[in-house]
Amino acid sequence: MDFPQFLQQLINGLSLGAIYALIAIGYTMVYGIIGMINFAHGEIYMIGAYIGLITITAIGTMFGCPAWLLIVSALAMAILVTCCYGWAVERFAYRPLRGSPRLVPLISAIGMSIFLQNYIAVLQTTRDLSVPELITGHLFSFTMDGFNVSMSNSRALILIVTIALMATVTIYIRSTRMGRACRACSQDIRMAGLLGIDVNKVISFTFIVGAFLAAVGGVLIGLSINKINPFIGFVAGIKAFTAAVIGGIGSIPGAMLGGALLGLIETFASAFLPTEYKDIVAFSLLILILLIRPSGLLGRPEVEKV
Amino acid sequence: MRGETGMHVVVKDAVIAALVTALLTIPLIGLRLNVESTGLVLRTEMFWPLTAILVVFFGRLILPFIRRPTLPVKIPTEKIIPKIAEYRKVWLGALLVFAVTLPFTPPGGSMLTGLTMAMIYMLLALGLNIVVGYAGLLDLGHAAFYAIGAYTYALLNQYYGLSFWQALPLAGIAAGFFGIVLGFPVLRLRGDYLAIVTLGFGEIVRLLLNNWDSLTGGPDGITNISKPTLFGWEITRRARGEGETLWQFLGVDFVNTYQLIALYFIGLLLVVVAVIVIDRLSKMPVGRAWEALREDEIACRSLGLSPTMIKLTAFSLGSMFAGFAGAFYAAYLGSVTPDSFAFIESAIILSIVVLGGMGSQRGVLLAALTLTLLPEFARDFAEYRMLIFGLVMVLMMIWRPQGLWPASRRRVELPTS
């Protein structure tokens, strides 16, 4: 692979990885605090994409609107509604099960995931829906050694928004009262409860932050790929979880790193292999990481306590 | 009323709940996207969202007044030994006679395909029940082992001409082997990882089957797989090669229904064998170890049991039964395609186990029969099937995690003087 091609794959890989990272943070925060895989998280991302498209269609058909306003309102609406879904999923499917054997919330989570996927499929048809191309043009595009290297504006937007959100989340967790409560809960949830932290509030907050980021990811991927269906959340969810595991589950910088790495690995792999195999590469990577370094790149090894 | 809450708190609560409901329902249930010739069109359907909002609002308003203080939990007084145990053999015998005569009765005869599919799901669910029910490991890729079993028979039959009964053990071994290969790295870790890894594995298997055109025939799959034989007689219209068909032996003219009946009996045989084998296994030390491990892994380890090995036996045995089911499915249908082994199959099998009762064989059998035959009766059900299955899983976990027909725990009681 020559340099310009490498550069192009780097750009593609990073923007794909940014989306994985956005979803992965939701997985990793929930896992860090209540030690559970929230299978429904991929569907939350998909719901975000649908709300974005619904908002764009609703506003776009009613009034003529500049594209940036459509995008901003789609993002705002998607975040608002998806956060409600994130909260509601925890409140109804997980909270009543707290303290039951480990298998019970996991089954509830997978049930929720199946439910949400088919809920959208029944309500909004199972067909591929096309998202209008609101972001056109390229941030830059040049020819190097006869190979065109370009970065479309939609990919650039994904990268910028993701980096901004990551920075915000990191600062928020590090320096606010709620962030401190989150960190305390992830260290020892029972002790945090004894010290007067409202554990239920922290858990709800975690799900809302996860849904927030996933919604942004969903809207942006819709605007960039221009096609959504009710099943996009399933594969994206497994891959984002893979990203979280690569980075070390429970660690927020780990999720960001894992997302970027997975995006890059997948893009470079599909440059060499037929594209159908890129999912296989991602899932095999998950098994490989668990085999070699189950605590991930930035995670701490888990100590089991009685 | 809870505590000293004033009216305004209740109203505020209700308004917030109504607002959240509005956000949850209006955009997705109230606004429907649809593709028409002019492009994307939004339809508005505000009836259900508005109903939901009103119900939630007024529900929250009255809730504090109707909610009673929680009473102390009543501990059920247990019967010493279930009476049913005495008649167990009689019951099982009657059930078997019923199952054998069923295809010859008019209602049974009309549902033969459904009943045979139910047998396949019973086998699958019995296998998954070992993993999820006894050992307490969440396996979301059961369809992958089902696929491995089906393709093992399909490929062996196509390339080497192996018959069903020759390939059946190989299909089970292949699926069990893959279970060991996959389980070994993952089962050393915390249980939840298994869930996501098996989910990924299910996708890998499906993608490989779909794309490895030269071996598996790609999306078209493999067709013309031989039907099984019954006690050495072929059950098809004409025998392949030298053999004699069962129908020639019995001296009856071939009717398609006869073949279905024969397949039903093979399915029934496999299910009965599986039930007996798993029942015996669960009473052996290894079966006790599965349940002990499910209840408390650390206690198990301190008693000298090896969690990884025990989990591995459960996982590979469960996969093996899925392999048997797969081989029978391939023989029953005569063709296999990768589409039959998508994640949705794993989800259906899991909901069967959850609904019937994890660790309860009778519950699982009943749930498999019900959930497979239900679509035959309610055609409209098909569209909402997965929606309902997902909801059922969540609700069962909240209200009745032990399933509809849970296993009665084996116990020995000291005689009370």
Side-chain angles (χ1 to χ4, degrees):
Chain A
M1 188 187 286
D2 40 358
F3 183 67
Q5 210 179 339
F6 173 80
L7 212 60
Q8 182 65 55
Q9 298 292 2
L10 197 68
I11 293 169
N12 297 350
L14 279 178
S15 64
L16 180 66
I19 299 287
Y20 290 154
L22 280 176
I23 312 174
I25 289 180
Y27 276 113
T28 219
M29 280 180 76
V30 167
Y31 196 93
I33 288 180
I34 53 176
M36 174 199 140
I37 303 175
N38 176 17
F39 282 106
H41 194 56
E43 317 310 330
I44 295 285
Y45 153 85
M46 179 268 296
I47 287 179
Y50 267 86
I51 302 287
L53 178 59
I54 288 173
T55 315
I56 290 171
T57 322
I59 298 179
T61 48
M62 273 194 273
F63 342 93
C65 233
W68 66 268
L69 196 60
L70 275 180
I71 296 170
V72 170
S73 46
L75 277 172
M77 197 63 203
I79 287 168
L80 191 65
V81 175
T82 312
C83 284
C84 279
Y85 270 92
W87 173 84
V89 164
E90 192 273 331
R91 181 67 189 80
F92 294 110
Y94 306 152
R95 192 179 293 178
L97 304 175
R98 218 167 286 154
S100 33
R102 178 151 267 166
L103 193 61
V104 171
L106 272 182
I107 290 175
S108 180
I110 193 74
M112 203 64 207
S113 164
I114 296 168
F115 171 74
L116 286 176
Q117 191 175 328
N118 289 282
Y119 169 73
I120 299 294
V122 166
L123 290 174
Q124 309 286 354
T125 74
T126 51
R127 284 201 275 177
D128 279 348
L129 300 178
S130 57
V131 183
E133 271 187 62
L134 293 176
I135 312 170
T136 49
H138 291 279
L139 185 68
F140 58 78
S141 173
F142 56 88
T143 312
M144 193 196 257
D145 304 336
F147 190 86
N148 192 38
V149 180
S150 69
M151 183 177 207
S152 65
N153 279 332
S154 59
R155 284 189 194 279
L157 184 72
I158 290 179
L159 277 180
I160 294 166
V161 171
T162 305
I163 290 169
L165 282 175
M166 300 275 166
T168 317
V169 169
T170 311
I171 293 169
Y172 194 89
I173 296 289
R174 192 171 293 167
S175 52
T176 61
R177 203 179 159 77
M178 194 42 142
R180 189 148 24 111
C182 277
R183 282 179 289 140
C185 284
S186 81
Q187 281 179 4
D188 190 333
I189 194 158
R190 275 178 70 193
M191 193 64 208
L194 287 175
L195 292 176
I197 292 173
D198 186 344
V199 173
N200 279 336
K201 208 182 237 173
V202 171
I203 293 173
S204 288
F205 169 77
T206 315
F207 276 84
I208 289 172
V209 171
F212 184 111
L213 298 175
V216 173
V219 174
L220 290 180
I221 204 78
L223 289 171
S224 152
I225 299 182
N226 304 109
K227 202 175 72 178
I228 56 174
N229 65 46
F231 311 108
I232 54 170
F234 176 64
V235 172
I238 313 180
K239 285 194 187 158
F241 183 81
T242 307
V245 170
I246 293 176
I249 196 136
S251 144
I252 294 175
M256 301 175 190
L257 180 70
L261 273 178
L262 185 66
L264 287 173
I265 291 168
E266 215 183 290
T267 326
F268 279 101
S270 58
F272 292 109
L273 294 166
T275 45
E276 294 87 28
Y277 286 94
K278 70 178 202 297
D279 291 353
I280 297 183
V281 170
F283 301 147
S284 312
L285 196 68
L286 172 66
I287 298 176
L288 209 65
I289 290 280
L290 289 177
L291 188 62
I292 301 167
R293 199 181 156 84
S295 55
L297 294 175
L298 303 180
R300 285 159 305 177
E302 210 163 312
V303 185
E304 211 166 331
K305 285 164 281 189
V306 180
Chain B
M1 285 296 290
R2 49 185 157 146
E4 293 291 304
T5 45
M7 197 58 205
H8 66 282
V9 180
V10 177
V11 174
K12 194 182 142 198
D13 213 38
V15 169
I16 292 175
L19 262 177
V20 171
T21 316
L23 282 173
L24 288 177
T25 51
I26 287 179
L28 284 173
I29 303 179
L31 301 171
R32 310 280 181 87
L33 285 167
N34 217 338
V35 188
E36 278 174 24
S37 52
T38 47
L40 268 185
V41 178
L42 265 187
R43 269 182 311 120
T44 45
E45 249 172 62
M46 285 303 167
F47 175 71
W48 289 112
L50 291 180
T51 320
I53 293 165
L54 289 178
V55 166
V56 168
F57 180 73
F58 289 108
R60 287 301 290 202
L61 273 186
I62 16 181
L63 191 67
F65 300 98
I66 55 171
R67 188 185 270 164
R68 281 199 227 128
T70 43
L71 297 167
V73 181
K74 233 189 247 172
I75 298 164
T77 45
E78 288 188 53
K79 282 179 256 170
I80 309 284
I81 292 162
K83 270 283 184 293
I84 197 163
E86 292 168 25
Y87 303 110
R88 195 162 175 248
K89 287 213 169 115
V90 182
W91 273 110
L92 287 178
L95 197 66
L96 200 61
V97 170
F98 175 71
V100 169
T101 48
L102 188 63
F104 303 108
T105 60
S110 62
M111 292 190 302
L112 270 177
T113 45
L115 285 171
T116 313
M117 275 319 281
M119 296 293 157
I120 293 172
Y121 278 101
M122 280 179 190
L123 269 180
L124 287 167
L126 286 171
L128 190 65
N129 189 31
I130 301 179
V131 186
V132 180
Y134 290 129
L137 305 162
L138 187 52
D139 174 2
L140 297 175
H142 207 54
F145 301 106
Y146 180 34
I148 289 170
Y151 271 84
T152 306
Y153 173 49
L155 291 171
L156 286 176
N157 183 253
Q158 199 179 36
Y159 290 109
Y160 302 104
L162 258 62
S163 75
F164 173 73
W165 297 106
Q166 288 168 321
L168 184 68
L170 295 176
I173 289 170
F177 172 74
F178 274 97
I180 290 176
V181 169
L182 181 70
F184 187 70
V186 184
L187 289 172
R188 296 174 304 145
L189 307 166
R190 263 184 51 176
D192 337 12
Y193 280 114
L194 185 72
I196 201 97
V197 168
T198 46
L199 192 64
F201 181 69
E203 280 297 289
I204 293 183
V205 168
R206 196 180 57 82
L207 287 169
L208 273 179
L209 293 177
N210 220 348
N211 293 310
W212 196 349
D213 289 1
S214 55
L215 181 72
T216 64
D220 300 332
I222 300 170
T223 47
N224 264 331
I225 305 166
S226 319
K227 298 272 183 232
T229 55
L230 198 59
F231 304 114
W233 289 300
E234 301 226 13
I235 56 168
T236 42
R237 182 184 293 272
R238 278 181 212 89
R240 291 190 184 193
E242 304 294 295
E244 191 187 12
T245 66
L246 181 62
W247 324 118
Q248 284 167 338
F249 175 75
L250 291 175
V252 289
D253 289 328
F254 177 81
V255 187
N256 261 329
T257 319
Y258 291 166
Q259 189 181 347
L260 290 176
I261 292 176
L263 285 166
Y264 168 84
F265 277 121
I266 294 172
L268 185 64
L269 179 75
L270 290 174
V271 170
V272 170
V273 170
V275 168
I276 294 170
V277 168
I278 296 172
D279 189 54
R280 300 305 302 170
L281 274 173
S282 71
K283 287 173 186 158
M284 278 163 58
V286 66
R288 299 296 167 96
W290 293 336
E291 286 186 70
L293 199 71
R294 179 188 66 199
E295 299 302 329
D296 194 333
E297 183 167 340
I298 296 172
C300 263
R301 202 181 293 154
S302 49
L303 288 172
L305 297 172
S306 157
T308 314
M309 285 314 292
I310 293 164
K311 285 184 199 166
L312 213 52
T313 52
F315 191 57
S316 54
L317 277 171
S319 309
M320 189 181 80
F321 282 102
F324 292 145
F328 178 59
Y329 174 77
Y332 164 68
L333 218 61
S335 65
V336 284
T337 55
D339 286 345
S340 323
F341 309 104
F343 171 68
I344 197 168
E345 291 298 316
S346 303
I348 291 173
I349 307 163
L350 183 65
S351 50
I352 289 173
V353 174
V354 167
L355 193 69
M358 289 179 276
S360 154
Q361 296 226 54
R362 55 188 189 190
V364 164
L365 292 176
L366 187 71
L369 192 67
T370 319
L371 290 190
T372 333
L373 291 186
L374 205 56
E376 303 253 328
F377 293 112
R379 296 282 165 196
D380 297 336
F381 179 67
E383 191 190 350
Y384 300 99
R385 189 170 64 146
M386 290 318 291
L387 188 78
I388 293 168
F389 281 9
L391 203 59
V392 160
M393 276 196 220
V394 177
L395 295 180
M396 288 295 286
M397 286 302 106
I398 293 173
W399 287 321
R400 211 176 152 81
Q402 73 273 38
L404 287 180
W405 199 6
S408 51
R409 295 202 67 119
R410 283 180 287 277
R411 56 177 181 268
V412 178
E413 300 217 356
L414 292 172
T416 44
S417 53

